[in-house]
Amino acid sequence: MTRPADETTYHDADNLYGDDLKSHNCDVPASPPSRKSIPEMMSSLKLAARIERWPIAGGFTISRGAKTEAVVIVAEVSSRELKGSGIAGRGECVPYARYGETPEGTLGEILALEDAFHRGLDRQGLQERMKPGAARNAIDCALWDLEAKIANKRIWELLGQNAPRPLTTAYTISLGTPES
């Protein structure tokens, strides 16, 4: 598969669960804890982000339109420690046009905070600095993921909550025909 020379990652539908995705798997143990706390690490954090495009087999159609791929923005916050001991937190989001969001605009919003992270931007500062939306969600999730990995705990444990339980939910069914 040929990849373009931009910030977008294209995924091969035949290899959706390759080794490069193990960091998104909840069953993979967290990285070993760092000796530094989140506040101590904040001035040494690096922010990166990319657009990923995931093909949808046959397409997905709802009343607002149809799609043949899922476009996701992945944000990564990592410590910049020496000797490969850095830990990375990852978060993702899906920009929605109905909220005035685009993948490129959301990526730009995230990457515009690189310098703020070098100056120590934390989760509270993020809430004050960015409007609610896809970009803030991806970074906030990445910071929570990083903190959980550093503490070697689940996020619900950091929040002092009970373990999550299965919940009844709804899901959207494509309006397309079974053949599509």
Side-chain angles (χ1 to χ4, degrees):
M1 164 177 275
T2 357
R3 293 179 186 239
D6 62 11
E7 296 283 335
T8 302
T9 301
Y10 290 85
H11 293 280
D12 181 351
D14 295 329
N15 187 23
L16 290 180
Y17 301 106
D19 287 342
D20 60 333
L21 298 178
K22 286 185 179 173
S23 63
H24 294 282
N25 184 336
C26 294
D27 293 330
V28 174
S31 303
S34 169
R35 294 178 185 212
K36 290 183 178 181
S37 69
I38 283 283
E40 292 171 321
M41 290 179 66
M42 288 313 292
S43 62
S44 66
L45 291 182
K46 179 181 175 190
L47 174 66
R50 65 187 176 275
I51 297 173
E52 293 185 351
R53 297 181 184 278
W54 294 84
I56 297 173
F60 183 77
T61 304
I62 60 173
S63 62
R64 286 189 300 269
K67 15 190 307 191
T68 57
E69 68 180 2
V71 180
V72 179
I73 311 302
V74 178
E76 185 173 284
V77 178
S78 56
S79 65
R80 297 182 297 171
E81 296 181 13
L82 301 175
K83 300 180 184 172
S85 64
I87 299 171
R90 291 179 187 84
E92 58 188 44
C93 65
V94 175
Y96 285 96
R98 69 178 175 264
Y99 300 130
E101 299 172 331
T102 65
E104 294 75 17
T106 301
L107 179 65
E109 284 183 68
I110 293 169
L111 294 177
L113 292 178
E114 274 185 288
D115 287 339
F117 270 90
H118 293 303
R119 292 190 307 272
L121 183 69
D122 61 8
R123 237 183 9 257
Q124 184 60 40
L126 175 70
Q127 302 302 310
E128 296 165 3
R129 183 165 179 151
M130 290 188 84
K131 67 183 184 342
R136 188 172 90 178
N137 177 74
I139 298 170
D140 191 44
C141 289
L143 288 168
W144 276 108
D145 187 42
L146 178 65
E147 188 169 341
K149 288 176 178 176
I150 289 168
N152 203 24
K153 293 184 176 187
R154 304 287 184 169
I155 293 171
W156 56 267
E157 292 173 305
L158 293 176
L159 291 168
Q161 299 293 312
N162 294 325
R165 300 181 331 254
L167 296 173
T168 302
T169 186
Y171 56 91
T172 304
I173 300 171
S174 177
L175 296 174
T177 64
E179 296 79 30
S180 62

